[in-house]
Amino acid sequence: MPVWPRIAAGLVLTGVLIGFAGFRAYSEKLGPIVQAHGTTYYNGQGPVSVPLACKPESEITAAISQVHAKYDYLEGADLQAFEQRAAVLKGLPPLDIDKLYVITEDDQLRDGEMVLFIGFRVDCVTTVFGLPTKLYRELAGKSEGA
């Protein structure tokens, strides 16, 4: 067999393999990325989020008192200082809220391992998430015994 057909067949095979590898890499990039802290979707292909009904601060504070919760309340300069410590110490993004309630203990849910954050913007709940108590104490600048 002459040399040129072998070279041509090798180039075609190389092109097909490179094209296949590129297609696989591109198609995996377009799919959702599942990570430890959540799933990242591309091109708006994620689940449709339903707009939540606004829960006013008065409703949340009534619920807090109903479960006899202990909480920390941050707003203004205290909230800004907390967000800055969180950014410097752990690289966390700003919360973009006006007021923050941090539920540290209650008689029904909290076991001392986690704290619950409830953030308000314009008298409406906009942010709810939990963090380990140890991390919260570090970000708040509190000692373990406090």
Side-chain angles (χ1 to χ4, degrees), residues 61-145:
T61 53
I64 289 172
S65 63
Q66 189 175 25
V67 294
H68 308 289
K70 293 181 182 176
Y71 63 91
D72 295 337
Y73 175 77
L74 303 170
E75 73 174 331
D78 293 336
L79 179 59
Q80 278 187 325
F82 176 80
E83 287 181 325
Q84 288 174 349
R85 277 193 304 275
V88 169
L89 294 175
K90 299 296 178 184
L92 298 175
L95 297 173
D96 193 29
I97 57 175
D98 299 328
K99 300 174 186 176
L100 178 66
Y101 286 86
V102 182
I103 313 300
T104 55
E105 292 179 39
D106 68 36
D107 61 358
Q108 295 179 7
L109 300 174
R110 305 289 125 211
D111 59 2
E113 298 289 321
M114 297 285 289
V115 294
L116 178 67
F117 288 77
I118 304 172
F120 291 88
R121 184 162 188 82
V122 191
D123 195 40
C124 192
V125 174
T126 58
T127 304
V128 177
F129 63 95
L131 283 179
T133 301
K134 186 176 180 180
L135 177 59
Y136 168 65
R137 291 195 183 285
E138 181 182 342
L139 296 177
K142 295 182 178 184
S143 65
E144 282 296 316

